[in-house]
Amino acid sequence: MSNVPLTKDAAEEAAPLAEDLVVLDSVNKHFGALHVLQDINLTIKRGEVVVVIGPSGSGKSTLCRTINRLETIDDGSITIDGDSLPDEGRGLARLRADVGMVFQSFNLFAHKTVLENVMLGPIKVRRQNKDEVQARARKLLDRVGVGSQADKYPAQLSGGQQQRVAIARALAMEPKVMLFDEPTSALDPEMINEVLEVMQQLAREGMTMVVVTHEMGFARSAADRVVFMADGRIVEEATPHQFFDNPRSDRAKDFLSKILKH
Amino acid sequence: MFDFLDLEQYDLFGAFWTTVQLTVFSAIGSLIWGTILAGMRVSPVPIMRSFGTAYVHIFRNTPLTLIIVFCSLGLYQTLGMTMFAEGNVDTIGFRLAVLGFIAYTSTFVCEALRSGINTVPVGQAEAARALGLSFTQVLRIVVLPQAFRSVVAPLANVLIALTKNTTVAAAISVAEAAALMRTMIENEANLIPIALLFAIGFIILTLPTGLLLGWLAKRVAVKR
C-alpha cells in the first residue's frame, strides 16, 4: 500500500487542533427492559483513535451506532464538532455525511459496481462533479488496494476486499470522524490483516476514529486510548499500554485473562 | 369451425386492441401508484403508513366488479366525473375503467414490492443512511432498484391477472374482448368455438408476457 495519504487534508487534521470532536454526555438507552447504555460519558478529540473493547452484549456496537443515530438514545446528548445530533430530517442527514461508518457485514450496495458504491455518496449527497468524484474514487480504491476490482460487483469480491471498498466508500465523503463497528469480525482470518493495515494507515494519517473491535493487536498498536465496556457501562479508559499491561478494574482483568491466555 | 367469425360484423382485433390498451395503461398506472403506496407503507411517517395500510386493505378486499361499477355509477353518473372527455361516452367509460383497474391492481403491486423490499438487507439501507442520504434517496437509489429486481416474477403474475381482469370492464360497456364475446354468443349458436376463440386470444396476450418476464426475472436478479 502506498504512502499517499488516504485523506485529502490529513496533514491539517494532524495539526494540534485538540478540540473535542465527538462528545457523548450522560447517554442512556434501553432495549425494552435491557439498559444497554448506562450513563455514558465519552469525549473523542480531533485526530484521536479510540478503540472500544469489551465482552459481547456490553453495548459497544450500540454505542458506536448511536454516534450517527442509527440507534436512537433515550436521554443524554451527543454532539459532533459542536453540533448536537438532530432527531430527523435533513439536519441529521447532513451530519451523517460527516461521519463515515464501516459495518461488520460490509453492507455494500449489491446492485452497484464497486466504483459506483464509492461514488454514490459524494454525487448524491454532496452534489459534487461526477468526473472529479470518479477520479477521486479510483484513487481511493487504489490506495486501499482494490483499484483493479473497480468495475466488479460486490458479490464478486472477497470479504476483505469488500470491507476495504466499504472503507473507501466512507472516506469518499471526506468525513470528520470514522466509525468502525467490528470491521473484521465477519472476515476469514487471512483477510483480517489487509483490512487492519488500511485502518492502521488511516490512524497514522491522523483520522479521528472510533473502532469497536476484538482485535487486541490493533488496539495495542493503533489506539491512543482504549475504552473498556461491560454491561452497558464504560468500566475503564486508559492508554493501550496501561490497559493491557496494568488493568485497574477487576472486570477488565477478568476479560483480558480470558482472551490473552492463549 | 370458426366460419361464424365474420370480421366485417365483429371487430375482433379492435376488441382485443382495446383489451391491450386497457392492460397497458392500467399496468403503467398501477406500477406508479403501487410504488408510491409501497413507499408510504415503509416510510417513517406514521400518517403515511396508516394511509397506505388502510388503502391497501380496503381496495384489495373489494371485488373488482364493484370498484369498476362504482367508477361508472358513482364517479361518473352521480358525481359527474367525466375524466376530461366531455360528451364522448366511450372514452369516459375507458378512462373510468382504467382508473378502477389502477385503484385495484396497485394494491397487489404494492404488496409484491413490499415483499421485495424485505429481501434487501437492512444493512444496505443503514449504510445508505450513514452516507447522509435522505429517506426518499435511500428508497429510490438503494432499496427499490433491488426490490424491483427480486419481484419481477410476482409482478408478472399481477400483470397476467390484470390482463384477464380487464374483462370486467365489459360490465360498464367498454368495447373490449369480453364485451364482444357476449355479443357474439348472443348472435351465434357456436358457444364452444367462441369461448375457445377468446380463450386463445387471451393466451396469445398473456403467455408471451409470462415467458418474457420470467426470462427477465432471471437476468436482472441481484447476486448476493
Side-chain angles (χ1 to χ4, degrees), chain A:
Chain A
M1 249 156 270
S2 68
N3 300 321
V4 195
L6 286 165
T7 48
K8 200 176 66 181
D9 46 6
E12 295 153 48
E13 295 263 0
L17 271 166
E19 55 182 297
D20 301 339
L21 190 55
V22 181
V23 181
L24 288 85
D25 184 24
S26 350
V27 169
N28 278 286
K29 181 177 177 65
H30 297 78
F31 280 132
L34 181 69
H35 198 169
V36 67
L37 293 180
Q38 306 184 22
D39 210 27
I40 301 287
N41 292 293
L42 181 66
T43 302
I44 293 142
K45 292 187 166 49
R46 206 176 288 273
E48 195 178 22
V49 177
V50 173
V51 171
V52 184
I53 59 177
S56 38
S58 59
K60 53 193 194 308
S61 271
T62 310
L63 175 75
C64 187
R65 290 163 58 88
T66 57
I67 296 176
N68 67 354
R69 215 172 192 285
L70 285 179
E71 298 287 353
T72 56
I73 55 175
D74 296 339
D75 57 56
S77 77
I78 299 176
T79 58
I80 292 171
D81 210 5
D83 298 323
S84 74
L85 215 51
D87 283 353
E88 292 292 338
R90 287 184 190 285
L92 179 61
R94 209 174 306 124
L95 223 140
R96 276 178 176 154
D98 288 334
V99 180
M101 180 141 192
V102 176
F103 300 84
Q104 179 175 355
S105 48
F106 329 133
N107 295 344
L108 295 177
F109 308 130
H111 62 308
K112 294 196 173 287
T113 64
V114 163
L115 186 65
E116 287 167 344
N117 264 278
V118 179
M119 289 168 62
L120 186 81
I123 290 176
K124 298 291 180 187
V125 178
R126 300 246 193 256
R127 311 265 170 211
Q128 288 167 342
N129 177 284
K130 203 176 165 183
D131 295 332
E132 289 167 22
V133 172
Q134 181 165 0
R136 208 171 71 225
R138 285 195 185 280
K139 237 180 254 171
L140 275 169
L141 286 172
D142 281 338
R143 284 172 197 170
V144 297
V146 286
S148 56
Q149 320 285 337
D151 297 316
K152 289 192 182 165
Y153 285 89
Q156 296 169 289
L157 269 57
S158 73
Q161 288 171 328
Q162 288 192 47
Q163 194 60 299
R164 284 181 284 154
V165 173
I167 294 174
R169 176 176 67 179
L171 288 174
M173 295 296 288
E174 293 168 345
K176 293 174 182 166
V177 51
M178 288 279 286
L179 309 175
F180 293 84
D181 183 7
E182 303 199 22
T184 56
S185 298
L187 294 175
D188 291 341
E190 74 264 35
M191 292 169 182
I192 290 176
N193 273 336
E194 63 192 45
V195 172
L196 290 180
E197 242 168 70
V198 172
M199 290 166 62
Q200 292 270 18
Q201 196 192 340
L202 264 179
R204 280 196 298 273
E205 287 164 13
M207 173 60 83
T208 313
M209 293 161 70
V210 178
V211 185
V212 174
T213 189
H214 294 293
E215 296 297 325
M216 298 305 146
F218 177 81
R220 224 183 241 277
S221 60
D224 295 315
R225 183 153 51 115
V226 172
V227 171
F228 175 72
M229 281 186 79
D231 307 319
R233 284 199 182 83
I234 292 180
V235 177
E236 195 164 337
E237 276 186 76
T239 63
H241 175 69
Q242 263 174 356
F243 179 76
F244 286 109
D245 300 334
N246 226 337
R248 288 190 305 268
S249 64
D250 291 339
R251 193 73 186 77
K253 279 176 195 160
D254 179 51
F255 177 74
L256 287 174
S257 73
K258 277 176 189 152
I259 54 164
L260 295 179
K261 215 184 294 177
H262 305 288

Side-chain angles (χ1 to χ4, degrees), chain B residues 77-151:
Chain B
Q77 290 177 18
T78 311
L79 297 174
M81 246 176 86
T82 54
M83 308 296 287
F84 312 105
E86 264 88 352
N88 190 338
V89 181
D90 287 346
T91 314
I92 294 173
F94 180 86
R95 291 188 184 170
L96 286 168
V98 169
L99 182 72
F101 289 132
I102 291 173
Y104 178 78
T105 313
S106 58
T107 62
F108 294 91
V109 171
C110 165
E111 291 305 277
L113 206 50
R114 214 156 60 91
S115 74
I117 289 173
N118 289 334
T119 66
V120 182
V122 186
Q124 286 188 38
E126 282 184 347
R129 277 156 63 206
L131 281 178
L133 271 70
S134 66
F135 169 77
T136 41
Q137 280 180 317
V138 174
L139 207 59
R140 218 179 58 233
I141 301 169
V142 175
V143 177
L144 281 180
Q146 296 185 64
F148 267 113
R149 288 167 198 226
S150 66
V151 295

